[in-house]
Amino acid sequence: MPNPHRLLICDDDATLRETLTEQLDLYDEFVVVSEGDAAGAINRVAEDRIDLAVMDVGLPDLDGREAVRVMRRNGYRGPVVMLTAQDSEEDTVEGLEAGANDYVTKPFKFAVLLARIRAHLRQHEASEDAIFQIGPYTFRPGAKLLVGERGSKLKLTEKETAILRFLYRAGREVVGRDTLLAEVWGYNAHVTTHTLETHIYRLRQKIEPNPATAAILVTEAGGYKLLP
């Protein structure tokens, strides 16, 4: 199963917040957290890994669009979907200019919001701003970088980045060597499993506390997988 995406639901309507959380929790692809005000949401995205935020406009302590501005200024780069009871063009433009990626007008069908969430997550994962957690590292594939817990930076090659990105998307599932070769190198007749094994060896030298006993990038029957 792929690694679940962490979603934030921020709405002061407790019933709607709980309903959305319960509905999204039914999908294994999501882990959902919630906040009832802007301050909680701003703190949450700063302190926790949040892959996408669903933000209401009408929050009790701060306009949701202003909260998004603060989140963006503080460095949050994940997608933001705004919920609003107003559907005027001016409201939409203001929200998008504040840094939101999309607008969903209340009342809405859950299936519509779900489709928007999935679409923005797909776009974000392919973007330069995508950030993933691998073991003790923050993985920034756009920058080809692993950042350690104390801020240390490990520069990755293009192939190392591609290997980690594909293994991360597979979650805890084992990825076969042939699959990894095809995904990272394409169907190149001159590339062999030895090439892949060499890259795996070099990756372990960079990321494993003890490369001889892999605890992050492990070998399984027929292939490899990442452990969180």
Side-chain angles (χ1 to χ4, degrees), residues 8-215:
L8 168 65
I9 306 297
C10 179
D11 198 299
D12 65 333
D13 183 335
T15 301
L16 176 60
R17 192 169 69 240
E18 290 166 10
T19 300
L20 287 179
T21 298
E22 288 173 4
Q23 288 179 305
L24 290 165
D25 269 335
L26 294 174
Y27 297 86
D28 291 339
E29 65 196 275
F30 303 128
V31 171
V32 187
V33 296
S34 66
E35 297 289 346
D37 57 30
I42 291 167
N43 289 335
R44 178 75 75 162
V45 299
E47 297 172 1
D48 197 355
R49 178 178 67 83
I50 299 297
D51 297 311
L52 179 144
V54 177
M55 298 285 296
D56 186 32
V57 169
L59 295 173
D61 54 339
L62 188 66
D63 184 288
R65 292 161 294 200
E66 185 57 36
V68 172
R69 284 193 182 91
V70 174
M71 289 158 60
R72 294 304 192 201
R73 282 201 300 268
N74 290 349
Y76 180 64
R77 295 289 176 265
V80 176
V81 177
M82 302 292 301
L83 301 180
T84 179
Q86 302 168 339
D87 61 354
S88 73
E89 186 174 323
E90 292 80 5
D91 284 302
T92 302
V93 169
E94 186 178 349
L96 296 174
E97 287 183 346
N101 299 82
D102 205 350
Y103 245 75
V104 175
T105 305
K106 298 177 180 178
F108 55 85
K109 286 184 166 45
F110 173 73
V112 171
L113 178 62
L114 178 62
R116 300 278 184 92
I117 287 172
R118 285 173 168 162
H120 285 293
L121 286 170
R122 284 195 301 271
Q123 291 171 12
H124 183 67
E125 283 197 349
S127 76
E128 293 292 302
D129 289 329
I131 297 174
F132 310 104
Q133 194 67 33
I134 295 178
Y137 302 102
T138 299
F139 177 38
R140 299 176 179 268
K144 300 183 180 67
L145 203 64
L146 284 171
V147 182
E149 292 173 310
R150 298 183 179 180
S152 60
K153 294 181 179 179
L154 294 172
K155 194 66 180 169
L156 301 170
T157 67
E158 183 178 342
K159 297 302 185 192
E160 289 169 348
T161 301
I163 289 169
L164 286 182
R165 185 195 282 267
F166 193 78
L167 289 176
Y168 178 87
R169 285 177 173 161
R172 295 191 179 206
E173 296 296 319
V174 177
V175 178
R177 291 180 176 84
D178 289 343
T179 300
L180 208 47
L181 275 171
E183 289 292 335
V184 176
W185 279 271
Y187 292 97
N188 186 333
H190 300 293
V191 177
T192 65
T193 54
H194 176 71
T195 303
L196 172 61
E197 287 160 1
T198 299
H199 279 76
I200 294 290
Y201 172 82
R202 289 174 180 164
L203 255 176
R204 284 180 174 148
Q205 297 299 311
K206 289 183 177 181
I207 71 175
E208 297 282 359
N210 181 2
T213 309

